[in-house]
Amino acid sequence: MSRAIEVEKITKTYRVKSRRGLFKSSVEFVEAVKGISFTADYGSIVCLLGPNGAGKTTTIKILATLLLPDSGSARVAGYDVVKEASKVRENIGLMLTVEKGFYGKLNGRENLEYFAALYGLPRDIALKRIDHLVKLLELDKLGADRKLYEEFSLGMKARLSLARALLKDAPILLLDEPTLGLDPPSARKIRELVREMAHRENKSILYTTHNMFEAEIVCDRILLINKGVIVAEGSPEELKDKIPKLKVINLVIKASGDPGKPLERFTFRKEIKQEENSVFNVKIYVPRPEDVLGEIVKTLVNSGHEVVNVRVEEPSLEDVFIYYSEGSI
Amino acid sequence: MSFTDILRAEFKLEYNDMLRRKSVLFMLIMYPYLFTLFALFIGYAGGSPEVFVEKFGLNPVLYLITSSYILMSILASVDVLLWRPLYDSENGTLVYIISSPVNRLKYYMALPFPRYTELLLMGATSILPVYVYYYGLEGVLLSLLVITLIAVGCVLMVPFAIFVAGVCHRVGESWRIINIVRPIVMILMGVYYPRFYIPLIGYIIGSLIPSSFIVEIIQRTLLHLESNTHLLMAIAFTLFFLYLPAGAWSIKAWEVKKVKEGVKIS
Ligand SMILES: Nc1ncnc2c1ncn2[C@@H]1O[C@H](COP(=O)(O)OP(=O)(O)O)[C@@H](O)[C@H]1O
Ligand SMILES: [Mg+2]
């Protein structure tokens, strides 16, 4: 069997026309995706993790046959997204922005019935499937099955949207930031179900997020994407391992003046964040903390700063992300 | 993929929307009467009723109210098909429609029917009393005949409307296009002016619209003119079938353009 998703060097550049004055208009080019490649298998969750504007939605749209790539190729369920779009459409469940995408004057159940008809589900099967999904996503408990969509909370909207993605029991799910802005119970429910769909029902799931914590707990494999490029990939653990064996010295300092100055003589990568008026959080990435920790603390104290707390930590996924998107540590 | 399932879904959508939106319900009830008033106003502005009777041998009230009803009903498909994709785009539903495997021709064929039924039913309440007033009991039969013919005209109009909508959407997605296309189709159908009296060139262009032949049948019936109903029907049905592939093609062309640009999420 072929892989669930195969993406090869796809690129996409948007043309944006903008008016400049009365008669002039200029065309700008936004390179949203710059030749990314990856694969995803059945029974696992692959995460596209990246900040806003990284190209996550663009990638999902290309795979969902809603946007043509400029170059490169992509196959979903073994079908080419450009040449065999209708075959691809039969095999995907899609969830785009959670805020909209349903009819306001229909209730939850009626909306699902509508899309079941569009997806070609025979009516008796559709009704059974909807009963099942309404329970699975606890739409009935929330009263969302009988309530008009226009009265839904964001959490209900997201649940209904996932229910639609699951309607035709497609082997591949494309979920674009499915928990964005949700209340914690809804977010938890969705994450839980997504994991279940992959591991129990053997679906292949492409899941995008800009939330490290989420990627770490939901996904089996993470693709770090930034500015249209996949900068690293691996399991959450592997990604952390890939950082040259560095530890993070995490200091909380009550500073008199700029704590960065005295630290300048340490050439390791540093990150200094002001927390309150005179309280700073300093992260220093070093290979062997035991060699330099004493020296660092002494330097700070000698320059009149007060070191409130010191911790030596393993790098978090966020550290990994910063490492890969901004070059080396 | 069954057409009846899609049709059922569309009916549910349209009727729920109508019943749960009070302003729409109100407008729908008022629509035929407003339309009639408007038509009568135009009619009287164009000349006195006596001239009309002398020229066409038919009471202008009867004629105009029938014409309004025909237009209102038959043009609904053009309206719905031009309007719906724009609405779905705004509503965030278009991405799910385009990324669905639904058979496009079946889907777009189903779109106008719920609105048709609303308008045919509501409109009937405006023509039935007028027909009875002028013709007595015979008016009931006549109005039923006219309503049936209009219903046929409605169905025959759909593939043509799909074709027109696809071409319009491909050229430019805009609400304004409705206001340009609608009057053109309206004139070419030859509803307000008996079709066989318009200049030949207009008649030929109008003949591209399948339902124009049904309109002609209705007009000839009302004016008690000889007509070759079978021939007109045959032409209309032939055109209907010819527009099926044309409609599928034009929708496809629009979608190709849409996907090239990227279907907007909101
Ligand atoms: N339809 C569009 N037209 C022009 N630029 C776009 C369009 N959609 C996205 N972009 C731009 O492409 C880049 C990637 O966007 P997107 O794929 O939405 O990123 P993400 O989903 O990771 O936030 C961004 O710079 C965004 O502004
Ligand atoms: Mg996005």
Side-chain angles (χ1 to χ4, degrees), chain A residues 228-273:
Chain A
V229 180
I230 292 179
V231 289
E233 66 172 289
S235 67
E237 295 72 32
E238 275 169 0
L239 273 188
K240 284 192 230 170
D241 280 351
K242 273 189 191 166
I243 300 197
K245 295 284 172 237
L246 292 180
K247 298 271 165 78
V248 185
I249 299 178
N250 195 328
L251 300 142
V252 179
I253 300 166
K254 220 176 208 166
S256 55
D258 178 12
K261 267 265 158 66
L263 290 175
E264 264 170 14
R265 69 188 189 84
F266 299 97
T267 52
F268 309 109
R269 184 195 163 92
K270 294 181 284 275
E271 219 189 296
I272 303 176
K273 255 193 267 171

Side-chain angles (χ1 to χ4, degrees), chain B residues 9 13 19 33 38 49 53 69 79 149 152 203-204 231 243 252:
Chain B
L13 178 58
L19 296 172
Y33 301 99
F38 174 73
V53 176
Y69 181 38
D79 291 349
L149 282 170
V152 173
Y203 187 88
I204 292 170
L231 180 66
Y243 276 112
K252 171 121 194 159

Side-chain angles (χ1 to χ4, degrees), chain A residues 18-33:
Chain A
S18 56
R19 282 233 154 267
R20 289 205 180 158
L22 204 52
F23 300 107
K24 277 188 199 163
S25 71
S26 65
V27 177
E28 274 174 55
F29 295 94
V30 182
E31 281 184 84
V33 172

Side-chain angles (χ1 to χ4, degrees), chain A residues 61 64 66-68 89 94 96-97 100-103 105-106 110 113-114 117-119 123 148 164, chain B residues 8 10 12-13 16-17 20 84 88 90-93 95-96 98-100 102 104 259 262-263 265-266:
Chain A
K61 273 180 156 185
L66 292 169
L67 175 66
L68 293 184
R89 289 166 182 169
L94 177 65
L96 293 167
T97 174
K100 1 167 67 173
F102 287 96
Y103 295 104
K105 295 287 178 193
L106 294 183
E110 289 163 346
E113 284 176 26
Y114 181 89
L118 220 57
Y119 294 160
R123 181 138 174 97
L148 293 191
R164 168 172 55 198
Chain B
R8 180 192 293 113
E10 280 301 327
K12 245 186 165 165
L13 178 58
N16 276 311
D17 202 66
R20 286 167 182 169
R84 237 331 248 292
D88 277 311
E90 203 121 292
N91 193 47
T93 25
V95 276
Y96 296 100
I98 291 194
S99 68
S100 85
V102 68
R104 300 310 197 248
V259 169
V263 188
I265 291 174
S266 54

Side-chain angles (χ1 to χ4, degrees), chain B residues 27-68:
Chain B
M27 265 319 286
L28 211 74
I29 293 169
M30 291 305 293
Y31 200 51
Y33 301 99
L34 294 177
F35 217 106
T36 306
L37 282 177
F38 174 73
L40 291 178
F41 173 76
I42 299 275
Y44 280 103
S48 72
E50 288 73 28
V51 176
F52 193 95
V53 176
E54 211 170 277
K55 199 164 172 194
F56 301 124
L58 180 72
N59 187 294
V61 174
L62 205 80
Y63 184 79
L64 287 172
I65 203 168
T66 309
S67 300
S68 301

Side-chain angles (χ1 to χ4, degrees), chain A residues 14-16 30-33 50-59 61 176-177, chain B residues 261 264:
Chain A
Y14 291 108
R15 292 185 61 196
V16 187
V30 182
E31 281 184 84
V33 172
N52 262 340
K56 304 183 294 294
T57 301
T58 303
T59 306
K61 273 180 156 185
D176 192 19
E177 307 221 36
Chain B
E261 291 169 352
K264 296 225 167 53

